[in-house]
């Protein structure tokens, strides 16, 4: 994560003081989704499930401001649930439904 913070002297001072501004702004929900996929890639399904629970809380709670990405976020959440289920039930991939 260190690569996300400014390498300028002001940026280093801000990191030390706890008031750092990230260079790359990515939503927390996006970072959690990335961590979920990494956990799946590493077959750590317990962690993937916990990350999915957190992501679900974030996506389903009432937004504090209008969210134009709500549908996309829900679709990503559904796809993540499906991926985890398929990884835990590989035998189901051999059947046509």
């Amino acid at each position: 994560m260190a690569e996300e913070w400014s390498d300028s002297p002001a940026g280093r001072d801000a990191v030390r003081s706890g008031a750092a501004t990230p260079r790359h702004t990515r939503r927390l929900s996006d970072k959690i989704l990335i961590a979920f996929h990494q956990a799946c890639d590493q077959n750590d399904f317990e962690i993937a499930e916990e990350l999915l629970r957190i992501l679900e809380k974030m996506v389903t709670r009432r937004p504090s401001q209008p969210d134009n990405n709500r549908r996309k976020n829900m679709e990503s959440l559904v796809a993540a649930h499906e991926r985890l289920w398929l990884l835990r039930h590989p035998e189901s991939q051999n059947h046509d439904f």
Side-chain angles (χ1 to χ4, degrees):
M1 285 251 314
E3 67 275 0
E4 291 188 46
W5 302 100
S6 176
D7 288 333
S8 68
R12 286 191 296 274
D13 291 342
V15 169
R16 284 187 213 111
S17 70
T21 302
R23 256 194 293 172
H24 305 343
T25 54
R26 186 175 270 173
R27 295 177 310 164
L28 180 58
S29 59
D30 293 337
K31 291 179 181 183
I32 292 170
L33 187 59
I34 290 167
F36 163 80
H37 285 295
Q38 185 173 1
C40 287
D41 292 345
Q42 296 175 2
N43 294 323
D44 195 342
F45 303 138
E46 184 179 342
I47 295 301
E49 187 173 350
E50 290 297 318
L51 289 165
L52 200 51
R53 282 190 192 128
I54 293 167
L55 185 60
E56 188 169 348
K57 278 185 184 181
M58 294 178 74
V59 169
T60 58
R61 71 180 170 194
R62 186 180 306 259
S64 59
Q65 51 191 327
D67 185 5
N68 296 331
N69 294 319
R70 188 165 176 79
R71 182 176 176 166
K72 180 183 172 192
N73 292 339
M74 287 299 247
E75 289 172 355
S76 295
L77 179 63
V78 170
H81 272 285
E82 182 178 355
R83 180 178 186 202
L84 184 58
W85 192 89
L86 289 171
L87 287 171
R88 288 192 161 169
H89 303 92
E91 68 283 355
S92 67
Q93 294 180 31
N94 298 330
H95 297 63
D96 291 331
F97 293 102

